[in-house]
Amino acid sequence: GESVGLHLPTLSVQEGDNSIINCAYSNSASDYFIWYKQESGKGPQFIIDIRSNMDKRQGQRVTVLLNKTVKHLSLQIAATQPGDSAVYFCAEGRDKIIFGKGTRLHILP
Amino acid sequence: EPEVTQTPSHQVTQMGQEVILRCVPISNHLYFYWYRQILGQKVEFLVSFYNNEISEKSEIFDDQFSVERPDGSNFTLKIRSTKLEDSAMYFCASSVGGSYNEQFFGPGTRLTVL
């Protein structure tokens, strides 16, 4: 079965609102998670990562939350901008990265 | 800012032909990877490479695939006899260290097998 997976294939958010993209994983032993952004025609771009000894990590306008009890992580994007429009992947793995299916984020004007 | 580059951006080939996809990783990176993404699907790990040898490979990476670091800058993926199902975007990635290090991805090569 799939080790990481996203809940929604698409998400539409009003510009300026916060976006929350969710992801579930199945392997309790997973200890490293990454969020990637992929714009059309480009390769995946690292956004933020988190290790399993943490439950929250913040970057610039992004926050990742990890709930090991329910094996769930989320990516929060504050004040969503048109440039945030992309496909977002959650992934896990210290060496080889196992990607989940993406969520396409649409920004509504 | 240093980046991973890949050539060509698009490769069209006939089924059964050999293709070589080229990558130039970031210069001080030591770990190299190939991933592929079939249209509309998720990104899949193919192979990792360190110290001039394969560290790990997936079940996709069968005997038709090989990787090489022919000189100090290039990292190549060869598919010996392409099949229709090899059509995909192929991404090269590199990282300065192994575990827990950020992997930087190139822009990809779109391989179309006819």
Side-chain angles (χ1 to χ4, degrees):
Chain A
E2 196 170 86
S3 67
V4 283
L6 284 167
H7 293 269
L8 290 174
T10 61
L11 177 67
S12 295
V13 173
Q14 207 76 36
E15 183 179 345
D17 287 353
N18 297 335
S19 301
I20 299 176
I21 303 172
N22 295 302
C23 180
Y25 63 96
S26 58
N27 185 358
S28 302
S30 297
D31 67 348
Y32 182 60
F33 303 91
I34 317 114
W35 281 98
Y36 282 91
K37 172 185 181 182
Q38 187 177 26
E39 295 173 285
S40 182
K42 297 184 178 179
Q45 178 186 0
F46 174 96
I47 302 172
I48 192 167
D49 58 1
I50 189 167
R51 294 200 192 187
S52 59
N53 61 354
M54 304 172 72
D55 52 24
K56 180 178 180 179
R57 191 152 188 246
Q58 287 184 285
Q60 189 177 15
R61 277 203 310 119
V62 294
T63 301
V64 55
L65 299 177
L66 176 63
N67 185 331
K68 294 179 285 294
T69 304
V70 295
K71 296 202 278 286
H72 179 272
L73 70 158
S74 67
L75 176 71
Q76 300 178 7
I77 304 172
T80 311
Q81 302 168 359
D84 295 327
S85 182
V87 178
Y88 290 82
F89 294 94
C90 63
E92 62 102 359
R94 291 171 293 174
D95 304 299
K96 71 176 187 185
I97 297 173
I98 308 297
F99 284 80
K101 293 180 184 175
T103 288
R104 181 172 295 280
L105 180 63
H106 294 282
I107 314 304
L108 304 172
Chain B
E1 187 174 320
E3 56 184 21
V4 176
T5 59
Q6 291 184 242
T7 54
S9 57
H10 191 187
Q11 174 87 51
V12 181
T13 190
Q14 295 290 325
M15 190 171 55
Q17 295 296 302
E18 175 184 286
V19 293
I20 298 176
L21 310 183
R22 303 180 191 280
C23 169
V24 179
I26 294 173
S27 62
N28 64 331
H29 287 189
L30 301 176
Y31 293 77
F32 313 111
Y33 312 84
W34 282 101
Y35 293 82
R36 79 169 187 192
Q37 184 178 33
I38 294 172
L39 186 64
Q41 298 187 24
K42 57 185 179 180
V43 178
E44 300 173 290
F45 169 81
L46 292 178
V47 66
S48 58
F49 189 87
Y50 169 71
N51 199 26
N52 277 319
E53 59 184 34
I54 290 173
S55 309
E56 188 170 359
K57 58 184 181 179
S58 73
E59 57 272 15
I60 302 168
F61 195 89
D62 62 22
D63 292 345
Q64 294 302 310
F65 290 86
S66 62
V67 289
E68 194 177 32
R69 188 152 162 83
D71 52 44
S73 60
N74 290 281
F75 179 52
T76 62
L77 174 70
K78 181 195 288 188
I79 309 175
R80 257 179 280 281
S81 178
T82 48
K83 303 188 283 287
L84 295 176
E85 54 264 38
D86 294 327
S87 295
M89 281 291 285
Y90 288 80
F91 294 106
C92 172
S94 69
S95 61
V96 63
S99 302
Y100 305 111
N101 278 264
E102 179 182 346
Q103 293 183 22
F104 292 78
F105 283 75
T109 292
R110 178 169 298 284
L111 176 65
T112 301
V113 182
L114 302 176

